Amino acid sequence: MKKILAFAGSSSPTSINHQLILNVTRRIEEHQVEVLELHEIDFPVYSIVKEKEGIPQNIKFLFEKIMDHPALIISVNEYNANVSGFFKNILDWLSRVDRKFLEGKKILLMSTSPGKRGGASALEYCKSQFPRFGGEVVESFSLPQFYENFDSEKGSIVNEVFDLGVSEVVTAFSQEIKE
Ligand SMILES: Cc1cc2nc3c(=O)[nH]c(=O)nc-3n(C[C@H](O)[C@H](O)[C@H](O)COP(=O)(O)O)c2cc1C
């Protein structure tokens, strides 16, 4: 059994990526999963002056959480074909604590959006950048057209093909992090 930390890279209390995180983490039985809601945490905007004042407690908190978990599930939201400024700011802060803050982490990377590409540009950005921080994206997928394919009341994926695809990815990830 491995410890998995899961969170959406969104500052929204109604985040669709957080809804996807809850759907996916419910499927995992053989590992211990902790879900964080980053929108509940206050992260100051990075600047070199702020950094000289000291690394913020909440960044240290998130950094320690990541250190304590060998596997991560992250669902990123997309603003203007990239990750949101909220999430990029967190990445920037964490990289100042330790540039290799994802060293040795196995990651299931996801994204969703109301659009047909499901936030695929934000996902591709993270896929290309996480290795810079030492992280290994072992599985990934984008769920397109969230409001057509997801029932928010039930917390379930209504499109059977996507639902099966997500199950397969989650099973593969659960196996891969055992090794
Ligand atoms: C400023 C802004 C830019 C956006 N740009 C994109 C985009 O490039 N691609 C996309 O698929 N959705 C885009 N969206 C829609 C978001 O995907 C949508 O708001 C989604 O709910 C964000 O995820 P979250 O609810 O998990 O925060 C944008 C939304 C905003 C507010």
Side-chain angles (χ1 to χ4, degrees):
M1 179 181 282
K2 287 273 163 65
K3 287 169 81 175
I4 304 174
L5 183 68
F7 53 82
S10 169
S11 59
S12 169
T14 57
S15 167
I16 59 177
N17 283 278
H18 180 65
Q19 293 179 53
L20 185 59
I21 283 281
L22 294 181
N23 175 280
V24 163
T25 53
R26 267 205 318 267
R27 300 173 194 245
I28 297 173
E29 287 169 357
E30 68 264 50
H31 301 291
Q32 188 187 323
V33 185
E34 179 175 356
V35 178
L36 284 184
E37 293 193 55
L38 298 187
H39 72 87
E40 291 179 339
I41 307 175
D42 186 33
F43 298 107
V45 175
Y46 177 85
S47 77
I48 194 90
V49 174
K50 275 258 182 312
E51 184 184 342
K52 281 185 181 144
E53 291 168 6
I55 302 291
Q57 281 306 320
N58 288 341
I59 292 294
K60 286 185 188 163
F61 165 82
L62 181 58
F63 177 80
E64 290 305 329
K65 282 280 176 202
I66 292 171
M67 290 305 104
D68 193 38
H69 292 77
L72 305 174
I73 302 177
I74 302 174
S75 193
V76 286
N77 63 353
E78 181 167 299
Y79 282 177
N80 294 314
N82 209 322
V83 293
S84 58
F86 172 78
F87 189 60
K88 179 66 165 56
N89 181 54
I90 290 172
L91 295 178
D92 291 340
W93 269 119
L94 290 170
S95 73
R96 299 301 290 166
V97 181
D98 180 348
R99 192 162 178 275
K100 294 287 179 188
F101 67 92
L102 292 178
E103 189 74 60
K105 307 295 169 192
K106 292 195 172 181
I107 301 165
L108 165 55
L109 179 63
M110 325 186 292
S111 68
T112 190
S113 85
K116 285 192 173 152
R117 298 188 69 244
S121 297
L123 182 132
E124 286 306 323
Y125 171 81
C126 292
K127 230 185 205 177
S128 68
Q129 294 305 309
F130 281 0
R132 162 199 294 268
F133 306 127
E136 185 190 357
V137 176
V138 293
E139 294 292 337
S140 69
F141 72 89
S142 296
L143 178 70
Q145 297 180 295
F146 179 85
Y147 293 105
E148 282 81 5
N149 291 319
F150 198 95
D151 181 332
S152 289
E153 276 182 23
K154 294 189 179 136
S156 57
I157 295 172
V158 291
N159 179 312
E160 282 177 20
V161 175
F162 288 136
D163 192 52
L164 192 61
V166 169
S167 281
E168 284 172 2
V169 167
V170 173
T171 302
F173 179 68
S174 290
Q175 282 299 324
E176 274 153 349
I177 64 174
K178 273 185 191 163
E179 292 145 18

